[in-house]
Amino acid sequence: MRDRLAASDPGLLRLTAGLRTVTAIALTLAVLAVLRMPVPQLVAGSMAAMVATFAIREKQRSRQAVTLALGLPVALAAVSLSAVLNQWVVVGDLSFVVLIFCAVYSRRFGDRGTALGLIGFQVYFLSLFVHATAAMLPALCGVLIVAFACSATARFVLLPQTPAGTLDRLRWAFRARLGQLLATHIELLDAGPDGVGEILEDVRTGTARLHETALMIQGRLEDGTADEATARLVQRRIADAEIAAERLGLLLLTARSAERTDTLTLHLPGAVLPAGGELPVRDEATAVLRRDLGALRLLVLRPMGEASGTALAHVRNRLLGYRDEENLPQASPAVQDVFRGLGEAARAVMGLRLALDGPQDESDDSPATARSREELDAENAAIESSEEAEPTEPQPSGLRRPTTRAAVQVAVGSSLAIAGGELLSAQRWYWAVLTCWIVFINTASTGEILVKGYRRLLGTVFGVVAGIGLAGLVGNHTWTAFALVLVFIFAMFYTAPLSYTLMSFFVTAMLGLLYTLLNTYSPAVLLLRVEETALGAACGVFAAAVVLPVHTDRRTNELLAGVLDKLADVTRAAVDQLSGGAPADLVEKARELDQALADLRGATQPLTHPISPLRSRRDTARYVVALLETCAYHGRSLAATAELLPTHPSIAADPRLRTVCGRIVHNIDAIAAHVRDPRSTDTVESGPSIASLLEPGTLRTPRYGRVTDRVLRHLQRLDETVAGLARPLGMAPEPA
């Protein structure tokens, strides 16, 4: 159960966010109840505690404390402004628009600016919700002080969260997800012809979830580790384990198919294995393979305190022996490759345990295990002595700056929402403004705003139905309603990263209960919320499409060109190092590629969403992203192999590799130039296979030849996949 929880919620981030917010609200309600505050102040206090808790996203506790302290005067100023200007409609509306502009513009100042802007907007909205007046202002200010104090108590005393603790939980989540992926590999090995498609989809999902956790760890390393050397070491070991697991899955797919499996099979949804050539399920080699996959999973999941003993050492030694061709069973070359992949995965797991858990007992090491330890120690020393350069990229200025553009768009959209919302309801027009504000959060193109508005409207419609039913059940039971509000708030924060529609559902259902508490509930009020939500979403989409628009095509093209640039950098640097060039921080370059690809994947959601009417365009976008994921896999694998070069005894530089890389990098650059400017005259070249471009006379040691074969295989597949990218992007390869 612990592994399942860790895997489903990496770092327990969603659980902690939900519990901390609910605890802050419960404390606030308890204090205000002791002070005998009326229900409107209880509602205001609970909403203020929620805002003060979820708005702060900084990782360092000291910075969180400063931001929370600064947030209180911002909140007091916002509620005072709203209460004083409440009697002058036009002046109040104009002030609200100015506040919205400043709140969005403040995002340019990082997490603190984002938090203070969010607090200012939400507290102003809170005062509109409870119909604050100047007479209520002293009581509301006291409620805000109590809410912020309770939020600080929940954050720093009752549910503290440190960067190091979060990183430790993320590491455990990585292990749990790696164990789940290995369990899926066993299912893939055992699956019959009819069930292999479903299992293959599970392999894709498990691989993607493992990659997601690796990226989350990457984002926490700087704050969660003692120094940069430790951060680089953990980053390297996480990358090694991820690549080894992904490669093991591809080797299993290859062993199951009559022909060599295209790596696109693992990345393109809906792709299936070639027919025929089923891996026999009862032969001796397959039984050993099934046993050793289970043994590898055991090594991954076994806690450090239980990871000692002769039996586990024997298992580890056996798996690492496959790297040295020890005890390889009599089987087809494809199946033997799976065993070699098991050995590499076991080495990656041992490196991961050393990086996360420290030194281990070496008394039962076999020669193969001792060699692996020596390699890992040499790599660790090289990582500790390396220096990491901080890349600097020029930032846009003026209206080209994303925060400035978004602030102008939100201000225009909110003005339209205020005007339209007041036509629908003079008392509850602010729901349209809230929706317009929210659809701009974490979006960067018109298409993303459209999809987010659609999801919010869908969740609101279902939430209205639930709110009507709950309001009838709760009636006048105040504390029952507050208890349900806490449940819905927890569910809202727990589901927010998973489904925006679900989050909107819980928000709307909660609002039905709050209206019941304020004695303003009626089905017409909740139906009005649907109308205001639709209006706010429409105003947001209109503003995004008309005012300084960033169209989805432009956004995706910019990100696509960025991914191609990162891919070219990784490929060029990895092959240069494999050819004898100067070492570079290849793992960092690979992670930059992964992050750029994740940004592109998110930006293409409007194109791949089921509501998109352009099916051909949707299929093209999915296919291009799948090709890029394949390219990223081969780029990561080349980077990981090149990183081994200085310390690995079985890998030597081959200067001829540099000559075969030119066409790949040229093609990547040509496609990037075409994406940026379709009038570009750069062309994609085709020609003979990568392996045929190497002159004869390679060193003839089996281990070196196998590594060289692997590098050539990655380069060949990268060359083919890059050429494949040209076709859906409108470029025809020219023969060499």
Side-chain angles (χ1 to χ4, degrees):
M1 289 298 296
R2 179 181 60 177
D3 291 345
R4 287 182 177 275
L5 180 61
S8 64
D9 181 14
L12 302 182
L13 298 178
R14 291 186 286 121
L15 180 65
T16 303
L19 288 177
R20 179 182 285 166
T21 306
V22 168
T23 302
I25 295 173
L27 281 175
T28 303
L29 291 174
V31 173
L32 295 179
V34 170
L35 297 175
R36 299 185 180 278
M37 288 290 186
V39 171
Q41 270 76 16
L42 294 178
V43 172
S46 62
M47 294 179 68
M50 180 176 68
V51 172
T53 304
F54 80 77
I56 299 175
R57 299 294 183 185
E58 290 163 306
K59 300 179 179 67
Q60 296 290 347
R61 287 163 59 86
S62 58
R63 293 186 60 83
Q64 292 174 7
V66 172
T67 302
L68 189 61
L70 293 175
L72 180 57
V74 170
L76 294 175
V79 75
S80 301
L81 185 67
S82 174
V84 171
L85 299 180
N86 185 44
Q87 53 187 323
W88 296 295
V89 176
V90 176
V91 177
D93 290 349
L94 290 175
S95 300
F96 196 16
V97 172
V98 172
L99 175 66
I100 289 171
F101 177 87
C102 295
V104 177
Y105 186 78
S106 65
R107 296 177 191 173
R108 66 174 294 186
F109 301 108
D111 289 338
R112 178 166 294 164
T114 301
L116 295 179
L118 186 58
I119 289 172
F121 171 83
Q122 294 286 2
V123 171
Y124 196 104
F125 170 82
L126 176 158
S127 65
L128 295 173
F129 184 77
V130 298
H131 303 290
T133 62
M136 296 171 56
L137 190 55
L140 281 177
C141 289
V143 166
L144 288 178
I145 293 172
V146 170
F148 272 73
C150 292
S151 176
T153 302
R155 178 180 295 273
F156 300 116
V157 179
L158 300 179
L159 290 168
Q161 189 178 35
T162 63
T166 300
L167 183 59
D168 284 339
R169 289 190 291 272
L170 283 173
R171 292 166 176 172
W172 184 258
F174 184 85
R175 284 175 170 171
R177 286 191 166 182
L178 180 56
Q180 288 181 344
L181 181 57
L182 292 173
T184 309
H185 287 163
I186 298 174
E187 294 177 11
L188 177 63
L189 182 67
D190 294 337
D194 296 334
V196 70
E198 181 179 350
I199 299 301
L200 182 56
E201 186 60 36
D202 291 340
V203 172
R204 293 191 192 103
T205 302
T207 303
R209 295 179 75 202
L210 185 68
H211 184 59
E212 174 195 15
T213 312
L215 289 178
M216 293 174 71
I217 291 174
Q218 168 72 14
R220 301 272 177 168
L221 283 174
E222 181 179 353
D223 295 315
T225 52
D227 50 56
E228 291 187 7
T230 303
R232 288 196 298 272
L233 176 61
V234 174
Q235 179 188 30
R236 169 68 177 277
R237 296 307 172 212
I238 291 289
D240 287 347
E242 180 193 352
I243 292 169
E246 190 170 8
R247 181 169 179 267
L248 184 60
L250 287 170
L251 291 173
L252 277 169
L253 290 173
T254 300
R256 283 201 59 111
S257 62
E259 304 170 359
R260 296 198 69 81
T261 303
D262 193 324
T263 45
L264 193 59
T265 301
L266 188 60
H267 300 113
L268 182 62
V272 296
L273 289 174
E278 277 299 311
L279 189 67
V281 296
R282 287 193 176 90
D283 74 344
E284 183 179 350
T286 307
V288 173
L289 181 56
R290 185 184 300 107
R291 177 200 68 186
D292 286 342
L293 282 169
L296 179 61
R297 181 174 179 272
L298 178 67
L299 291 179
V300 169
L301 295 178
R302 185 60 62 93
M304 182 60 185
E306 305 172 19
S308 58
T310 305
L312 282 177
H314 175 73
V315 168
R316 181 193 61 211
N317 294 340
R318 184 179 71 244
L319 295 178
L320 289 171
Y322 293 139
R323 299 183 65 230
D324 293 339
E325 309 285 341
E326 292 179 6
N327 303 318
L328 283 180
Q330 295 297 321
S332 66
V335 174
Q336 288 190 335
D337 277 345
V338 179
F339 280 96
R340 296 185 182 103
L342 267 173
E344 294 295 340
R347 179 190 184 275
V349 169
M350 185 169 73
L352 185 64
R353 295 195 73 97
L354 288 171
L356 301 185
D357 300 328
Q360 302 172 8
D361 183 14
E362 304 177 14
S363 59
D364 295 317
D365 282 359
S366 67
T369 303
R371 279 193 295 272
S372 294
R373 285 193 192 278
E374 292 171 0
E375 295 169 10
L376 292 170
D377 290 341
E379 290 173 21
N380 294 349
I383 292 172
E384 291 174 359
S385 63
S386 64
E387 295 184 0
E388 184 177 2
E390 291 290 339
T392 57
E393 297 182 2
Q395 297 295 326
S397 58
L399 291 178
R400 295 178 57 198
R401 188 189 297 271
T403 50
T404 306
R405 181 175 58 245
V408 174
Q409 289 176 327
V410 176
V412 173
S414 298
S415 300
L416 296 174
I418 289 173
E422 288 187 341
L423 292 177
L424 289 175
S425 171
Q427 282 75 38
R428 296 183 176 85
W429 52 268
Y430 43 79
W431 289 121
V433 182
L434 180 66
T435 299
C436 182
W437 158 280
I438 287 178
V439 296
F440 276 93
I441 296 177
N442 296 326
T443 54
S445 70
T446 306
E448 292 179 59
I449 291 171
L450 176 61
V451 170
K452 191 169 185 179
Y454 157 79
R455 289 172 173 167
R456 182 168 182 82
L457 181 59
L458 185 64
T460 299
V461 170
F462 287 110
V464 163
V465 176
I468 291 174
L470 287 169
L473 291 174
V474 170
N476 296 321
H477 297 86
T478 300
W479 293 109
T480 302
F482 271 121
L484 286 174
V485 165
L486 293 178
V487 171
F488 286 148
I489 288 176
F490 175 82
M492 177 178 68
F493 282 95
Y494 195 78
T495 59
L498 304 178
S499 171
Y500 187 71
T501 302
L502 268 179
M503 187 198 76
S504 300
F505 166 81
F506 288 118
V507 169
T508 305
M510 174 192 69
L511 289 173
L513 294 171
L514 292 180
Y515 278 129
T516 302
L517 292 169
L518 294 172
N519 295 318
T520 56
Y521 166 78
S522 71
V525 169
L526 290 183
L527 291 176
L528 176 64
R529 171 161 165 74
V530 175
E531 296 172 355
E532 297 278 5
T533 298
L535 175 64
C539 291
V541 172
F542 178 80
V546 175
V547 182
L548 305 174
V550 177
H551 298 297
T552 303
D553 286 345
R554 173 185 161 192
R555 169 74 173 164
T556 53
N557 284 345
E558 290 176 353
L559 293 175
L560 175 57
V563 172
L564 292 169
D565 290 341
K566 300 295 185 185
L567 178 62
D569 289 344
V570 169
T571 305
R572 187 185 296 111
V575 173
D576 182 67
Q577 189 161 324
L578 287 165
S579 303
D585 191 352
L586 296 175
V587 174
E588 180 63 27
K589 289 181 179 293
R591 282 293 173 229
E592 290 175 358
L593 169 61
D594 290 335
Q595 188 58 59
L597 184 55
D599 293 340
L600 175 63
R601 195 182 298 111
T604 57
Q605 284 187 359
L607 303 178
T608 59
H609 197 275
I611 67 171
S612 174
L614 306 175
R615 293 185 177 275
S616 175
R617 191 179 179 194
R618 180 179 65 189
D619 293 340
T620 299
R622 293 174 69 222
Y623 186 65
V624 167
V625 171
L627 287 173
L628 289 170
E629 288 176 343
T630 300
C631 291
Y633 161 70
H634 292 294
R636 287 195 301 270
S637 299
L638 285 171
T641 305
E643 285 277 351
L644 298 175
L645 187 63
T647 57
H648 202 292
S650 65
I651 304 178
D654 191 335
R656 296 170 306 160
L657 290 174
R658 188 178 285 113
T659 63
V660 305
C661 179
R663 185 174 72 201
I664 299 176
V665 173
H666 166 81
N667 287 345
I668 296 173
D669 290 338
I671 295 173
H674 175 77
V675 169
R676 289 190 174 94
D677 183 4
R679 296 168 297 181
S680 172
T681 58
D682 293 348
T683 58
V684 174
E685 299 177 355
S686 62
S689 68
I690 295 296
S692 66
L693 297 178
L694 287 177
E695 299 175 0
T698 27
L699 297 176
R700 295 180 176 271
T701 60
R703 296 177 70 199
Y704 173 76
R706 194 170 68 248
V707 173
T708 301
D709 287 345
R710 186 191 308 173
V711 171
L712 291 178
R713 194 178 305 126
H714 288 308
L715 289 172
Q716 179 65 36
R717 300 306 295 154
L718 185 58
D719 183 45
E720 294 169 355
T721 309
V722 169
L725 265 175
R727 297 182 183 90
L729 295 176
M731 296 181 69
E734 292 192 356

